[in-house]
Amino acid sequence: MVPINELIRGFKLYQKEYEDRALEVLRSGYYVLGHQVTDFENEFAAALGEGCYCAGVDNGLDAIWLGLAASGITEGDEVIVQANGYIATMLGVMQCGATPVFVEPDEYYQLDVANIEKAITPKTKAVLVTHLYGQATRMDAIIDVCKKHGLELFEDCAQSHFAPYKGVNTGLFGKCSFFSFYPTKNLGGFGDGGGVVSKDPAIIDRVKVLRNYGSDRRYHNIAIGYNMRLDELQAGLLRVRLSHMKELIKNRQHIANRYLAEMNNPKVTLPLIADGCEHTWYQFIVRADDQEGFREYLKSQDVATDISWRTPPFLQPCMMERYGYKEGDFPVTEDLCAHIVTLPMMEFMEEDEITKVVEAVNSYR
Ligand SMILES: *Cc1c(COP(=O)(O)O)cnc(C)c1O
């Protein structure tokens, strides 16, 4: 079976470096908020682009929560998000006491700027864009709408590390942006991790206070904070993976380019790349009319598939209970969820595995 993803492959690519770094951290005697975290924060921010800062935190969801809270999003605010996004984005908004307001996506699976204005109310404070599947949202039009209506702009970059729009990496467009370093992500660790990035050092300082019991210096607490720290071991291992980001993204692009060039089944719609975007292929998503039939066929050909995700967040029981959503409220999103299929994509695939996926897709009838 060609797996949908297999994390051990990524580990094996740089096994010696990961093992050396893990031992280095274990032997250092520093396990929480030492130089690995600071070095990772500096190296990640420098790699993303000029003039930004990073605060490492414990996971992507908490990055969203702390970043929004540090930026002043609070009780009673509304934040516009795309309905086909991941539920963690909405949970991050809700943890701040704010309400996520959903809008439908476009043909690239990204937030459709044409739907933003209809969703604005007197309580709307911000637009939170999620750059899904490894491709940037086209930001020019989004920035214009936010400016026009005085809305803050935030970015969920959990799936878009180093995915540029017009040459600028995602994460550098909004007031602040949120990264996950969960193991499957394009920059992932060996456990949980997350980061908040901003060009405003005051926001990053505030996140650093909030992540550490609200403490601005030892035994001095200025905020009702949390314990949401990134640990030294994860930060050390993330530094290794970060140093190989270019090769790792090239590997994914090689797989995707072969898929795009060689798949030619009219029953399977391939993903589109938007103008100004360079796709980093966190996931390779196709569309098929008969989602289950297509998946069954690929399984019979020894190719694993997945759906990200079958039930959209607004139809999850907890969200229906809280906001009273029902089927039919976001038909574009529901239609997507009923037809998208995730194909194998990971940090390394053998050429004959890629061929096997292509042949399975092309022979589907
Ligand atoms: C993975 C993911 C998150 C959550 O990150 P965790 O580190 O798992 O908490 C948030 N948003 C998006 C879009 C994600 O893909």
Side-chain angles (χ1 to χ4, degrees), residues 239-273:
R239 291 178 62 209
V240 174
R241 187 143 161 196
L242 177 63
S243 73
H244 295 292
M245 244 5 250
K246 285 208 172 78
E247 302 119 75
L248 290 171
I249 289 175
K250 280 218 176 76
N251 288 357
R252 287 176 183 270
Q253 288 171 336
H254 171 71
I255 297 164
N257 288 339
R258 277 203 58 198
Y259 283 174
L260 289 172
E262 297 172 36
M263 287 178 182
N264 56 11
N265 187 335
K267 287 192 150 173
V268 180
T269 308
L270 298 174
L272 300 171
I273 301 176

Side-chain angles (χ1 to χ4, degrees), residues 71-360:
S71 305
I73 298 297
T74 183
E75 210 88 19
D77 292 344
E78 290 180 359
V79 177
I80 293 174
V81 299
Q82 70 228 66
N84 65 322
Y86 188 50
I87 196 162
T89 315
M90 296 127 200
L91 295 175
V93 171
M94 293 164 77
Q95 303 295 2
C96 296
T99 303
V101 172
F102 298 112
V103 299
E104 298 271 38
D106 63 15
E107 68 269 35
Y108 303 98
Y109 306 118
Q110 314 298 354
L111 197 155
D112 190 341
V113 67
N115 295 324
I116 291 180
E117 288 191 323
K118 291 177 268 187
I120 295 175
T121 76
K123 291 181 175 172
T124 309
K125 281 285 153 54
V127 174
L128 168 47
V129 165
T130 301
H131 310 285
L132 273 179
Y133 306 140
Q135 175 163 235
T137 308
R138 288 165 298 162
M139 295 307 288
D140 288 349
I142 304 244
I143 289 167
D144 286 349
V145 174
C146 287
K147 278 206 181 120
K148 182 172 162 201
H149 295 276
L151 304 178
E152 302 285 6
L153 174 59
F154 299 100
E155 298 169 79
D156 181 338
C157 303
Q159 303 192 1
S160 68
H161 316 75
F162 303 101
Y165 173 67
K166 295 193 173 170
V168 177
N169 280 321
T170 53
L172 299 179
F173 293 93
K175 180 164 185 165
C176 71
S177 56
F178 319 120
F179 289 84
S180 166
F181 307 124
Y182 183 77
T184 62
K185 310 289 179 176
N186 280 11
L187 174 55
F190 294 80
D192 280 309
V196 179
V197 166
S198 179
K199 289 180 172 166
D200 181 351
I203 290 181
I204 295 303
D205 284 347
R206 183 72 180 171
V207 170
K208 287 181 178 172
V209 165
L210 289 173
R211 76 176 174 190
N212 194 29
Y213 318 123
S215 154
D216 62 342
R217 58 191 148 86
R218 211 150 183 245
Y219 303 133
H220 188 257
N221 302 73
I222 57 168
I224 307 298
Y226 310 91
N227 178 349
M228 294 181 177
R229 299 178 296 238
L230 181 65
D231 68 71
E232 285 286 283
L233 195 55
Q234 289 309 327
L237 295 169
L238 283 166
R239 291 178 62 209
V240 174
R241 187 143 161 196
L242 177 63
S243 73
H244 295 292
M245 244 5 250
K246 285 208 172 78
E247 302 119 75
L248 290 171
I249 289 175
K250 280 218 176 76
N251 288 357
R252 287 176 183 270
Q253 288 171 336
H254 171 71
I255 297 164
N257 288 339
R258 277 203 58 198
Y259 283 174
L260 289 172
E262 297 172 36
M263 287 178 182
N264 56 11
N265 187 335
K267 287 192 150 173
V268 180
T269 308
L270 298 174
L272 300 171
I273 301 176
D275 275 353
C277 295
E278 195 183 310
H279 211 309
T280 58
W281 303 108
Y282 171 61
Q283 292 193 340
F284 194 94
I285 307 277
V286 298
R287 268 186 78 118
D289 282 341
D290 178 6
Q291 187 183 49
E292 267 321 300
F294 180 55
R295 293 191 68 202
E296 275 303 310
Y297 178 76
L298 289 188
K299 194 172 163 200
S300 77
Q301 300 301 301
D302 269 345
V303 172
T305 61
D306 198 357
I307 305 176
S308 327
W309 14 89
R310 189 193 301 272
T311 305
F314 74 92
L315 291 179
Q316 293 295 346
C318 62
M319 301 294 260
M320 292 201 290
E321 194 178 303
R322 173 74 73 97
Y323 298 117
Y325 288 119
K326 57 187 185 319
E327 271 179 41
D329 283 349
F330 297 95
V332 177
T333 294
E334 288 165 65
D335 178 68
L336 274 184
C337 292
H339 295 107
I340 52 176
V341 174
T342 314
L343 298 183
M345 175 56 74
M346 60 203 97
E347 296 199 313
F348 176 77
M349 281 173 79
E350 300 286 354
E351 294 302 319
D352 58 2
E353 288 180 312
I354 305 173
T355 305
K356 194 166 163 179
V357 178
V358 169
E359 283 173 356

